[in-house]
Amino acid sequence: MGDLVLTTFDWVPMLPRGFVRDLRPRWALEEAGLPYRVASVPFGDRNAEHLAHQPFGQVPWLTDGDLSIFESGAILLHLGERSDMLLPTDPRGRSETLQWLFAALNSVEMAGLPWSLLQFSGETGDGPGWKRMDDFLTVRLQRMEPVLAGREWLAGRFSIADIAMADVLRLVDRFGGLADYPACRAYVARAVARPAFIKAHADQMAHFAAAD
């Protein structure tokens, strides 16, 4: 393995700041105490070099020596393999962590992200599209509430699963979507109070602000 370099945009508009997904690996890197540096690509020019690392023109990606890894979930898994602070090594703990990691990125984010995008765009109200997405998210949150009411973290101790799930729920909470789910809100509050999150979030905000 080599030096860890996390690549994100050089700048983004104000609205998504604090929620760009380089936050997830930043947070993991800070939790594990792994040294890394941040590199930038232009927000307005998704060129061939960018697409060679991230074929959808998104961020982040992580380089680790001669490895280049895109998608925040894949990056979290890679960092978990580098640090047992992020991913347990015992079979049961590893399995529980991975199932909740994938649940965050599939079962919960697939409901929360479209709902949040409609909130971003102001397309809420009585339309059938909004109602379907709102109902879809409601079912997911109703399933998560008793899970989080019964535990501090998803898989025993804090892990990459919690980084993913807390960040997914944090976006929903931004628009008041957790108002009726106190256990979900308390879980997010515990996660974002961690020093590693506070630093990762501040660093991301400063990174984009520097280009204003």
Side-chain angles (χ1 to χ4, degrees):
M1 301 295 180
D3 292 339
L4 294 169
V5 181
L6 180 66
T7 300
T8 187
F9 289 126
D10 56 354
W11 175 89
V12 297
M14 287 298 299
L15 200 57
R17 293 185 190 186
F19 293 87
V20 182
R21 288 182 185 169
D22 67 276
L23 183 69
R24 298 174 185 180
R26 284 180 187 265
W27 187 358
L29 288 158
E30 295 294 341
E31 291 280 357
L34 293 170
Y36 69 102
R37 64 182 178 87
V38 175
S40 296
V41 289
F43 178 73
D45 181 19
R46 319 292 168 89
N47 58 27
E49 183 179 357
H50 185 156
L51 296 176
H53 289 279
Q54 218 297 352
F56 304 106
Q58 299 171 316
V59 295
W61 70 83
L62 180 80
T63 55
D64 184 353
D66 60 357
L67 294 175
S68 181
I69 307 155
F70 70 94
E71 290 293 338
S72 63
I75 297 170
L76 289 179
L77 180 54
H78 179 77
L79 295 175
E81 299 285 0
R82 289 198 54 163
S83 172
D84 62 8
M85 294 181 65
L86 299 171
L87 178 62
T89 57
D90 66 286
R92 183 177 297 276
R94 178 183 172 86
S95 176
E96 290 179 354
T97 300
L98 294 182
Q99 70 183 2
W100 281 111
L101 172 65
F102 287 109
L105 300 175
N106 187 12
S107 297
V108 182
E109 190 164 44
M110 73 182 299
L113 182 59
W115 183 90
S116 298
L117 290 173
L118 289 173
Q119 291 276 9
F120 266 125
S121 62
E123 296 181 19
T124 61
D126 297 327
W130 164 253
K131 187 176 188 311
R132 280 194 296 271
M133 294 311 329
D134 194 46
D135 289 346
F136 186 26
L137 178 61
T138 295
V139 170
R140 292 294 193 252
L141 295 177
Q142 287 174 342
R143 300 292 187 269
M144 285 305 303
E145 182 70 6
V147 171
L148 294 174
R151 62 187 79 181
E152 181 180 21
W153 305 117
L154 288 168
R157 59 181 175 83
F158 187 86
S159 69
I160 53 175
D162 297 297
I163 291 174
M165 186 69 78
D167 197 49
V168 167
L169 292 176
R170 193 172 64 93
L171 181 59
V172 174
D173 196 38
R174 179 178 186 174
F175 299 104
L178 301 184
D180 296 328
Y181 305 96
C184 291
R185 292 195 74 188
Y187 170 76
V188 172
R190 286 194 299 276
V192 302
R194 294 177 70 87
F197 174 86
I198 293 169
K199 184 176 187 306
H201 184 270
D203 286 350
Q204 185 189 85
M205 296 296 286
H207 175 85
F208 295 134
D212 286 339

